[in-house]
Amino acid sequence: MLDAERRDMQEKGFLNHMADKEQQPLPGRSNHAGKPPEAEKKLHEAVCVLLVELCERFTFFGIVCNMILFCTVELGYRSYQAAIVNMCFVGTSTLTPVLVGWLAEYLVGRVKLVCICLFLHFLGTALLPVVSFPFEDVYVDRRHILHSLPKREQKIVFYFALLTASLGIGGIRAIVCPLSAYSLEDCGPKELLSFFNWFHWLVNLNSAVVFVSISYIQQSVARNLGFLIPFVSGLMAMITIHMVRGEMIYKPKTDSSLLTTFGVIFSALRMCRVRYRYFRTGVTNWLDHAKENHGGQYTETQVEGTKSLARLFPLFTFQILYRTCIMQIPSGYYLQTMNSNLHFSGFVLPVAAMNVISIVPLLILVPILECINSWLFSSKGTGHSPTIYIVVGHLSAALSVMVAGFSEIHRKRFPQVEQTLSEEVLLVSSMPCFHLAPQYILLGVAEALVTPSCSLLSFWLVPERMRGISMHFLALFNGAGCFMGAFFVQTAHAGTQG
């Protein structure tokens, strides 16, 4: 009898594990073919997901790395306008996984939506080289030159390409590469923090390669043909997804949803207003007003899950300010570097290559933090290191922005010199760009401390059924920080008359 019950429990556990994913058989593959061991299959899936994730990030960073230079030199935008475009693209790419995840649950099937997003990703990354292709440099023969696109049509195609690429990015991150693909449900805080540290380390190593290689190609070798490299990277990701699509379309648990969470909050607010106006109740938490036994329309489980998520709202709110600081790297800091002296021993550094200075501290700190985490978690059991890391990281980000302000005052005191970027001669400050290194380093330290720790707390401090929703909220607030940065740039430009 006990053996039968044990077998039933094992079967139920296995079925619950397999319910997390939509397993679609590959065309032409027999279900009776020899199956690899479970551990080998999981490793194969994790490697494929990681490859797709890195290719998608390579494409994303390749688009972002020199967008400001492209907008100012090729499209004729002013510096603040180019910075706003860049931050809005990053913010949109951060928010689209939330939108696509919702669409996958309520409107269209996940397989169909993946196909649509892959097509949009392909279309966007294919149009960017068309927009940036230097038609004026291509000769039919020695006498005839192909003319470039008119500026108006070029801008329309450029914005359409950015929008479709960001929507495609959202589909890949939400359906193909969510955190549930890495089977983190049974991991403790130490293992989770280690995963987020090394995952973030790999992503930043990927971005370092992009900022050194693609930015150099775009700026010095083939002008804007560097957009072809993100296109090829995106194509590799799509081929990988097509080859193993049966194992790479993941479905999270459906016990809760983003709409349910918002419904609990709005219902509680409405009931609070009504009951405060007419009579008082003795509930201990304002979200309890949404429960069915207090006149609401949501179950005890749904409200309790939302309460655990609401405790993280202060952390999410601070992420808006933090993300606004981090967005200075591809916007304000990029503009500072572009208007500084990039000559180094007779060689003109790519503007985006300065971003590597902010990545080096992260690549160095992650192994050190791993040793510290091992000691903290082994000595205290439930270490407080994530909270300490977040506080120190936020202070480092704020200090970086303050140092950037003093660097800008210092930069403007240098006389101007001529500098050639993408075959355009610009008047820039003669201050060496390496004077800006401290602000990059401080933001790199902040990224190494804050991002993995916030991901850990957002994933670990909520019930298992709410983890996907918690990561969605983290993405929402990160995206809000990007748009807040764009708003600050527009406000500062308007307030100072340019």
Side-chain angles (χ1 to χ4, degrees):
M1 189 68 182
L2 292 175
D3 292 337
E5 292 179 357
R6 188 180 299 109
R7 284 195 300 270
D8 290 341
M9 292 295 293
Q10 292 175 350
E11 291 175 359
K12 289 179 180 178
F14 178 76
L15 292 174
N16 289 335
H17 173 72
M18 296 303 294
D20 294 345
K21 298 190 292 182
E22 283 184 352
Q23 295 292 342
Q24 300 292 335
L26 290 173
R29 177 175 291 184
S30 172
N31 290 333
H32 300 287
K35 296 182 180 179
E38 190 68 23
E40 183 180 344
K41 183 179 179 182
K42 287 184 178 180
L43 178 63
H44 177 257
E45 293 177 7
V47 170
C48 291
V49 170
L50 187 60
L51 176 62
V52 172
E53 183 97 40
L54 293 179
C55 287
E56 181 271 318
R57 300 278 179 164
F58 193 92
T59 305
F60 173 75
F61 289 127
I63 296 172
V64 169
C65 70
N66 266 350
M67 189 187 296
I68 288 182
L69 186 63
F70 175 77
C71 289
T72 53
V73 174
E74 297 295 326
L75 300 183
Y77 283 171
R78 299 179 65 181
S79 295
Y80 81 97
Q81 294 173 322
I84 290 174
V85 170
N86 203 8
M87 285 187 282
C88 287
F89 172 73
V90 176
T92 304
S93 301
T94 306
L95 294 179
T96 47
V98 181
L99 173 64
V100 173
W102 174 76
L103 290 176
E105 294 297 333
Y106 291 97
L107 296 183
V108 293
R110 302 177 79 83
V111 178
K112 292 181 180 178
L113 193 58
V114 166
C115 296
I116 294 172
C117 290
L118 289 178
F119 171 75
L120 292 176
H121 194 269
F122 174 82
L123 181 62
T125 53
L127 286 176
L128 284 174
V130 173
V131 175
S132 62
F133 193 80
F135 289 99
E136 68 274 9
D137 289 348
V138 180
Y139 290 80
V140 176
D141 54 37
R142 294 185 178 274
R143 294 172 296 173
H144 297 86
I145 301 176
L146 294 176
H147 296 290
S148 61
L149 288 172
K151 289 295 181 184
R152 183 173 179 272
E153 286 76 4
Q154 193 178 24
K155 292 178 181 179
I156 292 174
V157 176
F158 178 65
Y159 284 122
F160 180 75
L162 291 182
L163 179 61
T164 53
S166 63
L167 290 172
I169 287 170
I172 294 175
R173 292 182 184 178
I175 302 176
V176 180
C177 301
L179 286 177
S180 59
Y182 296 95
S183 301
L184 303 175
E185 290 79 7
D186 299 327
C187 295
K190 179 183 175 181
E191 291 78 12
L192 286 173
L193 186 56
S194 179
F195 169 81
F196 288 122
N197 272 328
W198 286 112
F199 179 79
H200 194 54
W201 187 88
L202 278 175
V203 169
N204 279 272
L205 181 63
N206 191 15
S207 64
V209 175
V210 171
F211 290 135
V212 172
S213 59
I214 296 183
S215 62
Y216 175 73
I217 293 172
Q218 288 179 334
Q219 180 176 313
S220 304
V221 178
R223 298 187 67 183
N224 299 303
L225 286 181
F227 277 123
L228 279 174
I229 300 176
F231 168 70
V232 174
S233 176
L235 192 61
M236 287 178 56
M238 287 185 282
I239 293 173
T240 306
I241 293 172
H242 175 73
M243 291 175 62
V244 287
R245 63 186 181 275
E247 291 83 18
M248 295 186 66
I249 300 178
Y250 291 86
K251 184 177 181 180
K253 290 180 170 60
T254 56
D255 294 344
S256 59
S257 67
L258 198 63
L259 289 181
T260 302
T261 304
F262 280 120
V264 170
I265 295 173
F266 291 135
S267 175
L269 289 174
R270 185 177 68 252
M271 296 299 295
C272 282
R273 186 182 60 182
V274 171
R275 295 185 179 187
Y276 180 80
R277 181 179 299 178
Y278 296 104
F279 55 91
R280 298 182 181 274
T281 58
V283 295
T284 58
N285 190 291
W286 64 277
L287 286 171
D288 289 333
H289 290 289
K291 292 181 179 179
E292 293 174 336
N293 55 358
H294 288 98
Q297 52 184 340
Y298 294 94
T299 64
E300 180 91 11
T301 303
Q302 291 172 332
V303 175
E304 290 300 320
T306 305
K307 286 168 66 175
S308 66
L309 185 63
R311 289 195 292 267
L312 294 176
F313 279 0
L315 173 68
F316 295 155
T317 304
F318 276 106
Q319 279 296 103
I320 296 178
L321 297 176
Y322 170 75
R323 191 55 52 182
T324 302
C325 295
I326 292 298
M327 285 308 298
Q328 295 305 309
I329 292 181
S331 58
Y333 291 5
Y334 189 100
L335 291 172
Q336 278 184 297
T337 306
M338 193 173 75
N339 288 279
S340 301
N341 187 2
L342 293 167
H343 288 85
F344 177 71
S345 299
F347 176 75
V348 179
L349 292 172
V351 184
M354 283 290 291
N355 291 9
V356 179
I357 297 178
S358 67
I359 298 173
V360 170
L362 187 144
L363 300 179
I364 296 173
L365 279 176
V366 165
I368 299 174
L369 292 175
E370 276 297 293
C371 298
I372 296 174
N373 293 336
S374 299
W375 176 76
L376 285 175
F377 280 101
S378 61
S379 61
K380 298 180 181 180
T382 57
H384 300 285
S385 55
T387 307
I388 298 173
Y389 291 164
I390 291 173
V391 173
V392 175
H394 282 197
L395 292 176
S396 180
L399 183 60
S400 172
V401 176
M402 185 175 69
V403 171
F406 289 113
S407 299
E408 183 67 7
I409 297 172
H410 178 64
R411 184 185 67 82
K412 291 183 176 179
R413 292 174 179 170
F414 285 76
Q416 290 188 326
V417 296
E418 290 186 348
Q419 184 167 260
T420 302
L421 295 177
S422 292
E423 300 183 7
E424 295 287 336
V425 178
L426 305 175
L427 284 176
V428 301
S429 171
S430 59
M431 184 192 81
C433 60
F434 292 107
H435 287 198
L436 304 173
Q439 63 200 50
Y440 280 97
I441 293 174
L442 287 170
L443 271 191
V445 172
E447 271 288 83
L449 296 173
V450 173
T451 302
S453 300
C454 280
S455 300
L456 167 67
L457 294 181
S458 302
F459 193 83
W460 180 49
L461 294 181
V462 295
E464 184 177 340
R465 66 180 182 278
M466 296 293 297
R467 286 175 173 174
I469 308 301
S470 179
M471 300 307 292
H472 280 328
F473 268 92
L474 183 61
L476 286 173
F477 281 84
N478 284 337
C482 299
F483 287 105
M484 183 68 72
F487 174 76
F488 282 163
V489 170
Q490 178 63 43
T491 303
H493 180 269
T496 57
Q497 288 78 41

